[in-house]
Amino acid sequence: MFAIIFIIPVALAVLVLLVPRSLVNRLALLFSTAVVLIFSIGVWLKMLPADAPQWLDGYFKLDAIGLLFLLIMAVVFTASAVYSLFYFKEHNLSVRRQSFYSAAMLLFVAAMLGVILSNHLALLWVFVEATTLSSAVLINFEKKKSALEAAWKYVFICSVGIALAFVGIIILSMGSRAVGTLFFDDLYAGAAQINPFWLKMAFAFILVGFGTKIGVAPIHAWLPDAHSEAPSPVSALLSGTLLNTAFLGLIRVQEILLQAGQGDYANHLILITGFLSLFVSAVFMMNIKNYKRMLAYSSIENMGILFIGITLGPAGLFAAMLHTAAHSFAKATLFLTSGNILNLYKSKQISDVRGILRREPLTGWLWIISTLAIAGLPPFPTFISKFWLIKAFFENGSGWLAVPFFLMIVFAVFGMARAVFTMAFSDAAGDTVSVNRRLDVTAYLPQFALLALLLSMGVSIPQNVWNLLQQAARFLQ
């Protein structure tokens, strides 16, 4: 079963290209989501084995933190795949275009699965690069000039970043000759034997390389363009899963420094990057014009929050793991709902969108509630995670940092909420439209499911979810 979740998406990607049929495209997407979702839930509930087969020879492994990120990816992929059915219909895509879209998405998911399950640093790097190549064609899927520019910008910046990460891996291999391999288990066990100078230099390169893929400031320039130009279900995958997979890769490298006694060095670099990301996102979101770019800057903000969380000890680590899931689900609802808005108004400009609640109430309420979910209002789990992060500052002896952390989040939330509520409640001059248009059920179902999941986590975190979050947080302790 372990190998099937790799083989099936790739095999189905080939199938939809060889057999371009509308039904085949839809079944391929839905069947792949079912396989990934069933596997991840089965392993989580201990109904399926988590061990890789012997022929993979230790290159793949599913630990607690990998399982958390796999579950998040499975849920967001399911939501994006279901919404893609609406995207096919509303954009009247030809069968061949549907096949191209489905194949690219399936290969993109397979690459992200590889990142999550890799137990070898060089192999993880290969899959991270594969995510760039497979997702670039999706960013340019709508064949507009702005989309082509965004795709090339994405490929160029991320390729430079990944090249720097590769330099870091080479430097790490130079300093870890006593260890002899790049398997993560061996690097953790032999971390004390790695030359500290080479280890620190390697981490600096890998932080910049993977940080580029994560989209943290100041190496975030590709992210607003790519997320705003991609089809909405693709944007949901980019924000809700791609950023997470690169973040997981960085966490695995950070653990090497912790085991080597160089945790303070890694944490200081990560903490500075996290605060810089918060600052940049807050500044841009105060005067944003494009609502999909606004969601992209919100992703930068939340990845900055995650960076800060993993430097704050046990309480911060637990909060970061919870925030990872909460951000992914809330941001996916926002990007999918932005697809509804784009379909209704044919514009990404905030100034062109007025009176959503009047024209399409379901989309309007999804837009508002999803914003509350990402902003951190109770009873959503982002409120809990942000509260625990502020608490972690004081427990970690750096309570003064909670002040700029809180203020930058307030500014970012204010900028986003101002735009969202203006779009939802304000009416354009002379607009007398009172009849609302109801979209297909697949335009609402994924968002309602994700919001229900968020509410269940916020009201009372189930015990098995709590246990998984704790086990994932112990990875860096």
Side-chain angles (χ1 to χ4, degrees):
M1 186 68 183
F2 195 99
I4 288 178
I5 63 170
F6 283 114
I7 296 172
I8 284 183
V10 175
L12 289 176
V14 175
L15 176 65
V16 297
L17 291 175
L18 294 178
V19 186
R21 299 285 187 276
S22 182
L23 180 61
V24 172
N25 295 328
R26 287 162 168 75
L27 290 178
L29 283 175
L30 296 178
F31 184 69
S32 293
T33 64
V35 169
V36 176
L37 196 60
I38 290 170
F39 173 79
S40 55
I41 294 175
V43 172
W44 177 37
L45 299 179
K46 303 187 185 307
M47 298 169 63
L48 292 173
D51 298 327
Q54 289 184 349
W55 61 272
L56 291 176
D57 198 24
Y59 282 95
F60 295 97
K61 179 181 178 181
L62 186 58
D63 52 11
I65 193 169
L67 178 58
L68 173 63
F69 281 73
L70 178 62
L71 280 164
I72 294 170
M73 197 205 77
V75 172
V76 176
F77 176 37
T78 301
S80 297
V82 172
Y83 190 90
S84 293
L85 305 183
F86 166 74
Y87 180 79
F88 291 166
K89 178 181 177 181
E90 289 300 312
H91 288 76
N92 196 27
L93 297 182
S94 66
V95 173
R96 192 162 295 278
R97 293 281 290 159
Q98 291 180 29
S99 298
F100 180 79
Y101 174 98
S102 301
M105 179 172 281
L106 291 169
L107 292 175
F108 181 34
V109 168
M112 290 190 289
L113 285 168
V115 177
I116 293 172
L117 298 174
S118 291
N119 190 39
H120 189 278
L121 181 55
L123 182 64
L124 184 146
W125 179 91
V126 170
F127 279 114
V128 170
E129 179 64 12
T131 63
T132 302
L133 299 176
S134 55
S135 57
V137 295
L138 289 168
I139 293 170
N140 187 41
F141 180 75
E142 295 185 352
K143 301 293 183 181
K144 296 182 293 186
K145 180 180 179 181
S146 55
L148 178 61
E149 181 180 330
W152 276 112
K153 190 174 183 180
Y154 167 66
V155 169
F156 177 76
I157 294 176
C158 287
S159 295
V160 171
I162 293 302
L164 292 174
F166 185 69
V167 172
I169 294 172
I170 293 174
I171 294 172
L172 179 61
S173 65
M174 291 169 55
S176 58
R177 292 178 180 176
V179 178
T181 76
L182 289 176
F183 285 98
F184 284 116
D185 291 340
D186 296 331
L187 289 170
Y188 300 151
Q193 304 175 51
I194 302 175
N195 184 295
F197 173 80
W198 294 118
L199 180 58
K200 289 180 180 180
M201 183 176 291
F203 182 76
F205 275 95
I206 292 172
L207 174 61
V208 174
F210 284 174
T212 302
K213 194 74 178 182
I214 297 166
V216 289
I219 41 183
H220 66 282
W222 66 270
L223 193 149
D225 292 328
H227 286 208
S228 64
E229 293 299 332
S232 293
V234 175
S235 297
L237 276 176
L238 288 171
S239 183
T241 60
L242 176 62
L243 305 187
N244 285 351
T245 56
F247 179 60
L248 176 61
L250 181 64
I251 288 176
R252 295 200 184 280
V253 177
Q254 182 191 6
E255 175 66 8
I256 301 172
L257 276 83
L258 295 178
Q259 294 296 330
Q262 303 296 330
D264 288 343
Y265 170 81
N267 287 344
H268 287 152
L269 291 180
I270 293 172
L271 187 67
I272 292 169
T273 306
F275 270 102
L276 184 57
S277 299
L278 280 181
F279 175 76
V280 168
S281 59
V283 169
F284 277 95
M285 288 174 67
M286 284 298 293
N287 192 33
I288 200 75
K289 305 296 183 185
N290 180 309
Y291 56 85
K292 287 197 73 176
R293 289 180 70 89
M294 174 185 71
L295 300 182
Y297 278 108
S298 174
S299 295
I300 297 171
E301 173 209 356
N302 282 277
M303 297 314 294
I305 291 173
L306 295 181
F307 266 48
I308 293 169
I310 62 174
T311 68
L312 296 179
L317 287 166
F318 183 86
M321 295 301 104
L322 175 60
H323 195 80
T324 301
H327 165 253
S328 294
F329 299 156
K331 190 56 60 62
T333 65
L334 282 164
F335 270 117
L336 295 180
T337 305
S338 75
N340 292 5
I341 297 171
L342 182 59
N343 185 269
L344 291 166
Y345 289 87
K346 311 302 180 186
S347 174
K348 298 175 186 176
Q349 297 302 309
I350 294 171
S351 60
D352 294 334
V353 180
R354 291 292 183 270
I356 304 175
L357 283 173
R358 220 157 45 88
R359 299 191 66 172
E360 218 292 282
L362 275 179
T363 294
W365 283 115
L366 283 171
W367 190 235
I368 293 170
I369 296 171
S370 301
T371 300
L372 299 179
I374 200 68
L377 271 70
F380 293 104
T382 45
F383 170 78
I384 302 172
S385 61
K386 290 177 181 178
F387 178 81
W388 279 341
L389 279 172
I390 292 175
K391 181 183 175 183
F393 278 114
F394 292 95
E395 292 181 355
N396 203 46
S398 53
W400 65 275
L401 286 174
V403 176
F405 175 80
F406 179 77
L407 288 176
M408 283 186 278
I409 286 178
V410 167
F411 279 112
V413 169
F414 173 78
M416 184 173 180
R418 180 175 59 181
V420 166
F421 284 99
T422 298
M423 294 165 65
F425 291 102
S426 298
D427 294 331
D431 186 1
T432 59
V433 176
S434 59
V435 179
N436 66 74
R437 175 193 170 196
R438 187 61 56 85
L439 302 175
D440 189 83
V441 65
T442 50
Y444 310 111
L445 184 61
Q447 297 94 303
F448 277 116
L450 289 171
L451 287 174
L453 187 58
L454 284 167
L455 284 170
S456 67
M457 292 172 61
V459 173
S460 178
I461 301 177
Q463 188 59 49
N464 49 4
V465 175
W466 181 279
N467 293 338
L468 178 61
L469 292 170
Q470 283 191 322
Q471 292 166 11
R474 290 194 193 106
F475 182 79
L476 286 173
Q477 295 179 26

